Amino acid sequence: MLSLNDPISEEINLHANSIAQVLQLTLAHAQELVISQPIGVTLKLPPSTGLSRSDEKTKTPLAFLIAGSLFSLAVVTASGYVAYQYAMRERASTAIVTAGFELGPNGLIRAISGRHLELIPAYARLGFSLSATPRVIEAAFISGSSAVVDAVLAGGATLAHEPNLGSFLQFAVDSDDPAVVEALIGLQPLSSNDVLPQIRHVIESGKWKAFERLALEEVYLSFESKNGETIAHVAGLSDSASLIQALQLSGRVDWTARNAQGQTALHFAVHNDKATAAAALVALGLDPLQEDSEGRTPLMIAWEKGRDSVIAAITNGSKVALEQLLKSDFSAVFRSDAVLTARTLIAGGIQLDAVQPNGHTPLFDAVQSSRLEMATLLLGAGASADAISDMRDVQGVTPLMMASANGHIPLIKLLLERGASTTIRASNGATALSIAKGRGRDDVVSLLGSTVN
């Protein structure tokens, strides 16, 4: 044991490297180092050391100063007296030094923030308190690691210095780790003051995995905004089936709740294109034909916004919604990439070759809009490659004629593979080949000319 109990007041003029060597040697050979008296040291250091400048005539009370590349620590009490005892465990100190961390509070904070789990107990063994500052627990939650949080809590860290949990809730949710949220809830009950801003943060960040645990707290289950939104509406924004399932299992959520505009959670999901949440909510019994205060249903909103995946989700298994969908003018679907909605319509029994209100068959709409995937879907479902449609001035136009006019080679090849005729004439006498010649499309003429039957 090495003990420095006698006041030292003589002037010591040493370069930084000399100080480092002396104190490093002392620490390396000491099983325990006790410093209980002030040490007056006058330092004369060259500017190149990078250490804090010290007046040559003033004796500065330091517990010790470890300089150089390995150590940098100065601990001074307000009165100039230091009473620090370090239980020097060679393995612990070596690990911290090897990692390049300071033997002090700032080094501890850095170790926690950086998720250096193995260093946290090492600092504790060296006498650094994990409950001395709120920065310790803050750094643990910022790290986003439940293992780091557990280690810090095991070392005695508390939330005693932080009555407002708002920032810690944000850190916990940002971790996207339910275990971090669990640890936070175990430290201190949540208050209603924390709920609204945190829900806003969750919605913006999309960290729903961690929020699944948070949302089961009483203060969240009973949440209701000034506009009447509840935790059910928040779940509708999540696109998280597991969150909705967890809330359902709680038995505390009113899924039929409507806000001031008469909107349900399903309205929220559809408005925000959350197909997974929409499907989960329909499975719970929410009605895709439920009108809000303006008479707008989730299905109507999805249709107007072209929410392809949402339409498929909310009509799946809902006979009434599907019937409503089939009554719509769905020609826009086949002019788009809404393949999921098209599959829903096909499964619902639409007439694939029937002329729609715009005078076109579904396949003609797909070809006219150059939708290769949609045309492939329709032909695969049984649509006729030669089903005729009417244009504004010409009747009897086939999909192949339209593809030839557009010069869309992949569509032309697809239609020919599916048996499209090259000899059918429209009301003006035009064929697919004559249309290609008139448009100067030599590539199409060459393709069609080799298949004229």
Side-chain angles (χ1 to χ4, degrees):
M1 174 176 176
L2 174 66
S3 180
L4 303 179
N5 289 320
D6 297 325
I8 300 176
S9 58
E10 62 189 87
E11 291 189 3
I12 304 175
N13 298 323
L14 297 173
H15 289 303
N17 288 341
S18 299
I19 297 173
Q21 291 170 3
V22 171
L23 291 176
Q24 185 177 340
L25 183 65
T26 300
L27 290 173
H29 290 82
Q31 292 300 311
E32 186 174 314
L33 172 62
V34 178
I35 303 176
S36 57
Q37 298 291 336
I39 304 174
V41 180
T42 296
L43 301 176
K44 292 184 178 180
L45 303 176
S48 61
T49 62
L51 297 176
S52 300
R53 186 171 180 272
S54 177
D55 191 332
E56 296 180 8
K57 302 299 182 181
T58 303
K59 295 182 178 182
T60 307
L62 298 174
F64 52 80
L65 174 65
I66 305 176
S69 62
L70 292 181
F71 301 100
S72 177
L73 171 66
V75 182
V76 185
T77 63
S79 62
Y81 287 89
V82 178
Y84 255 99
Q85 176 172 315
Y86 292 89
M88 296 303 297
R89 306 285 176 82
E90 183 176 351
R91 180 179 301 175
S93 60
T94 301
I96 295 173
V97 171
T98 302
F101 286 86
E102 301 174 7
L103 279 173
N106 287 337
L108 172 59
I109 297 299
R110 285 180 52 224
I112 293 171
S113 300
R115 297 187 179 188
H116 294 277
L117 190 62
E118 73 284 356
L119 297 185
I120 297 173
Y123 273 100
R125 287 197 298 269
L126 290 174
F128 294 98
S129 173
L130 295 181
S131 60
T133 169
R135 289 184 59 205
V136 169
I137 190 70
E138 180 178 346
F141 279 105
I142 289 176
S143 77
S145 166
S146 56
V148 171
V149 172
D150 289 343
V152 168
L153 294 178
T158 67
L159 283 175
H161 301 279
E162 291 287 340
N164 185 355
L165 296 183
S167 61
F168 288 105
L169 280 171
Q170 180 170 326
F171 299 146
V173 171
D174 282 343
S175 72
D176 215 16
D177 183 351
V180 176
V181 174
E182 187 74 48
L184 179 64
I185 294 172
L187 288 175
Q188 187 169 325
L190 303 175
S191 69
S192 58
N193 293 332
D194 303 314
V195 172
L196 188 56
Q198 187 54 37
I199 284 181
R200 287 173 180 163
H201 173 72
V202 170
I203 293 172
E204 292 170 359
S205 66
K207 300 297 181 64
W208 297 105
K209 184 177 179 181
F211 189 69
E212 288 174 17
R213 173 62 189 88
L214 194 61
L216 295 179
E217 288 298 294
E218 176 64 30
V219 67
Y220 281 87
L221 288 172
S222 59
F223 161 76
E224 183 173 342
S225 73
K226 293 180 180 179
N227 196 40
E229 278 93 21
T230 68
I231 191 66
H233 292 88
V234 175
L237 294 172
S238 69
D239 213 27
S240 170
S242 55
L243 171 59
I244 293 172
Q245 182 181 17
L247 291 172
Q248 172 66 6
L249 291 175
S250 75
R252 299 287 307 281
V253 178
D254 178 10
W255 296 106
T256 64
R258 303 172 69 176
N259 66 3
Q261 287 74 45
Q263 298 167 328
T264 65
L266 186 56
H267 283 87
F268 271 47
V270 171
H271 264 297
N272 292 277
D273 201 15
K274 306 298 185 182
T276 301
L281 292 169
V282 169
L284 288 178
L286 271 72
D287 187 357
L289 301 180
Q290 173 71 58
E291 295 182 353
D292 61 17
S293 56
E294 295 181 353
R296 294 163 59 79
T297 69
L299 180 60
M300 183 187 303
I301 295 167
W303 186 258
E304 291 173 354
K305 292 181 176 291
R307 306 288 197 209
D308 186 30
S309 58
V310 171
I311 291 173
I314 64 179
T315 54
N316 183 30
S318 173
K319 183 178 179 181
V320 175
L322 183 57
E323 290 175 350
Q324 186 71 28
L325 182 62
L326 291 172
K327 293 177 182 178
S328 307
D329 177 8
F330 44 73
S331 58
V333 172
F334 302 106
R335 295 195 300 270
S336 72
D337 291 320
V339 174
L340 291 175
T341 302
R343 291 184 188 278
T344 299
L345 291 169
I346 292 170
I350 64 167
Q351 298 298 312
L352 292 174
D353 296 330
V355 175
Q356 302 167 95
N358 65 354
H360 301 166
T361 65
L363 179 59
F364 190 90
D365 276 328
V367 172
Q368 186 179 34
S369 301
S370 299
R371 305 295 179 180
L372 181 62
E373 184 179 5
M374 186 68 74
T376 303
L377 171 66
L378 288 165
L379 288 166
S384 171
D386 286 328
I388 60 174
S389 299
D390 291 335
M391 301 293 289
R392 183 172 55 184
D393 300 321
V394 184
Q395 289 73 49
V397 181
T398 67
L400 183 59
M401 293 178 190
M402 179 53 65
S404 298
N406 291 339
H408 198 300
I409 298 295
L411 272 173
I412 294 172
K413 289 182 177 180
L414 173 66
L415 291 166
L416 291 174
E417 289 172 0
R418 298 304 174 92
S421 173
T422 58
T423 60
I424 296 177
R425 294 181 179 275
S427 61
N428 62 357
T431 64
L433 182 59
S434 67
I435 291 173
K437 288 180 179 179
R439 296 291 178 95
R441 295 302 308 250
D442 293 340
D443 53 344
V444 177
V445 170
S446 176
L447 178 60
L448 292 176
S450 65
T451 59
V452 173
N453 46 29

